[in-house]
């Protein structure tokens, strides 16, 4: 089946709604009062179900229709719209269609209030923002977003996880620079994101660079950031950094 407009795609998603699964997702994504996903709405779809619709829809869906999906109050509909944008960005990149790449990137930036949970960020930012930064080294908006003043938790996470692509393309320094900005953040989700990217730097051969980063910053690192960052290290080295963080 082929879809081309936001209303048809939304109908396809809602046809698979599962009320019991929705209740589980509400708890999993912390939607209660005061939690990071407060007020979000779920209809109970698993990612493979959303991706099935994306596979059918993305080639025939114009960018403005994907934008409409991302602006939905329903989490899974937003995810669908973001994944369509990811597929469209990747196709444009393969075709060296720099104009459309920029169009998708700019639309994504404008939609940041709707990219408001960790799964939405992680499944979209790496391939849209990360690839765009690789292809456009002069783009510096993410260096602004990593700064907490005036920027949301989710903007900061977008900035941090987008370094995944930069690490793989010879620019691990961006990861280290942005991770420093999150050392004193109160948000556990940002500590995890920074630690994840630091671990990716290690996995991609920048072991000494990570050691240098830790040598300078380990005493300030939240425990979960260090735990994620050192996960791939030999047990003895990981333990040594943990002791040093505690001043032992």
């Amino acid at each position: 089946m082929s879809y081309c407009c936001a209303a048809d795609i939304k109908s396809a998603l809602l046809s698979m709604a599962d009320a019991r699964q929705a209740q589980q997702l509400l708890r999993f994504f912390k939607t209660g009062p005061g939690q990071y996903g407060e007020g979000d709405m779920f209809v109970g779809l698993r990612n493979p179900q959303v991706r099935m619709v994306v596979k059918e829809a993305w080639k025939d869906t114009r960018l403005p229709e994907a934008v409409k999906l991302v602006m939905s109050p329903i989490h899974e509909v937003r995810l669908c719209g973001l994944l369509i944008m990811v597929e469209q960005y990747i196709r444009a990149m393969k075709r060296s269609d720099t104009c459309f790449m920029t169009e998708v990137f700019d639309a994504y930036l404008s939609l940041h209030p709707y990219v408001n949970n960790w799964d939405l960020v992680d499944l979209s930012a790496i391939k849209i923002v990360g690839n765009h930064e690789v292809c456009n080294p002069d783009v510096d908006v993410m260096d602004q977003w990593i700064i907490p003043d005036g920027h949301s938790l989710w903007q900061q996470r977008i900035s941090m996880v987008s370094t995944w692509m930069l690490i793989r393309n010879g620019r691990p320094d961006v990861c280290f620079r942005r991770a420093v900005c999150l050392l004193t953040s109160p948000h556990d989700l940002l500590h995890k994101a920074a630690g994840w990217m630091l671990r990716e730097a290690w996995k991609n051969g920048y072991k000494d660079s990570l050691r240098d980063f830790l040598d300078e910053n380990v005493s300030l690192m939240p425990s979960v950031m260090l735990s994620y960052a050192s996960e791939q290290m030999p047990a003895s080295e990981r333990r040594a950094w943990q002791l040093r963080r505690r001043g032992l």
Side-chain angles (χ1 to χ4, degrees):
M1 185 174 181
S2 180
Y3 313 103
C4 62
C5 71
D8 289 343
I9 295 169
K10 181 179 177 181
S11 294
L13 294 167
L14 294 182
S15 71
M16 297 182 285
D18 182 331
R20 180 176 296 181
Q21 175 69 10
Q23 290 301 310
Q24 295 175 0
L25 293 173
L26 287 170
R27 291 190 294 272
F28 182 74
F29 284 104
K30 308 297 184 184
T31 61
Q35 296 181 312
Y36 61 74
E38 181 178 359
D40 206 352
M41 297 172 57
F42 288 81
V43 294
L45 303 186
R46 298 183 182 276
N47 278 6
Q49 293 174 298
V50 176
R51 288 186 180 278
M52 179 180 66
V53 175
V54 172
K55 183 178 180 180
E56 295 290 336
W58 75 267
K59 291 181 181 178
D60 299 320
T61 304
R62 297 179 64 84
L63 182 58
E65 296 300 307
V67 167
K68 290 179 185 177
L69 294 171
V70 180
M71 296 175 71
S72 170
I74 300 172
H75 187 102
E76 296 95 332
V77 177
R78 297 202 303 283
L79 175 59
C80 185
L82 289 168
L83 292 178
I84 288 172
M85 291 175 68
V86 165
E87 295 296 335
Q88 292 181 345
Y89 188 94
I90 291 172
R91 177 174 62 178
M93 188 168 63
K94 289 178 179 177
R95 295 177 176 179
S96 299
D97 185 349
T98 56
C99 289
F100 191 68
M101 289 164 63
T102 299
E103 188 177 350
V104 175
F105 176 73
D106 288 346
Y108 184 83
L109 296 189
S110 73
L111 290 166
H112 73 81
Y114 304 95
V115 189
N116 57 356
N117 214 312
W118 60 264
D119 63 318
L120 303 179
V121 171
D122 297 355
L123 292 173
S124 61
I126 290 172
K127 293 185 177 178
I128 295 177
V129 178
N131 276 320
H132 202 74
E133 289 192 291
V134 169
C135 296
N136 301 273
D138 294 334
V139 171
D140 64 356
V141 65
M142 290 298 113
D143 286 332
Q144 300 167 30
W145 277 21
I146 199 68
I147 300 170
D149 292 343
H151 299 106
S152 70
L153 156 66
W154 305 117
Q155 285 175 289
Q156 290 182 278
R157 188 170 173 109
I158 287 169
S159 175
M160 192 68 241
V161 303
S162 67
T163 64
W164 195 93
M165 283 295 182
L166 296 168
I167 293 165
R168 280 159 177 71
N169 285 272
R171 294 174 59 193
D173 57 296
V174 183
C175 167
F176 297 123
R177 184 174 71 243
R178 293 182 189 168
V180 167
C181 297
L182 302 182
L183 291 172
T184 58
S185 170
H187 299 295
D188 182 70
L189 286 172
L190 294 180
H191 303 162
K192 292 177 179 178
W196 171 23
M197 292 302 111
L198 293 169
R199 182 179 70 224
E200 291 301 313
W202 174 277
K203 289 169 61 178
N204 280 270
Y206 301 105
K207 296 181 179 180
D208 287 339
S209 296
L210 178 57
R211 291 183 177 115
D212 289 343
F213 176 89
L214 295 178
D215 188 56
E216 185 172 350
N217 298 294
V218 70
S219 63
L220 299 174
M221 289 180 74
S223 60
V224 70
M225 186 187 295
L226 178 59
S227 178
Y228 275 48
S230 62
E231 191 175 83
Q232 296 290 316
M233 293 179 176
S236 58
E237 183 172 3
R238 185 169 64 250
R239 177 64 174 165
W241 286 117
Q242 291 170 343
L243 290 173
R244 183 169 166 184
R245 176 187 170 274
R246 302 206 306 265
L248 301 175

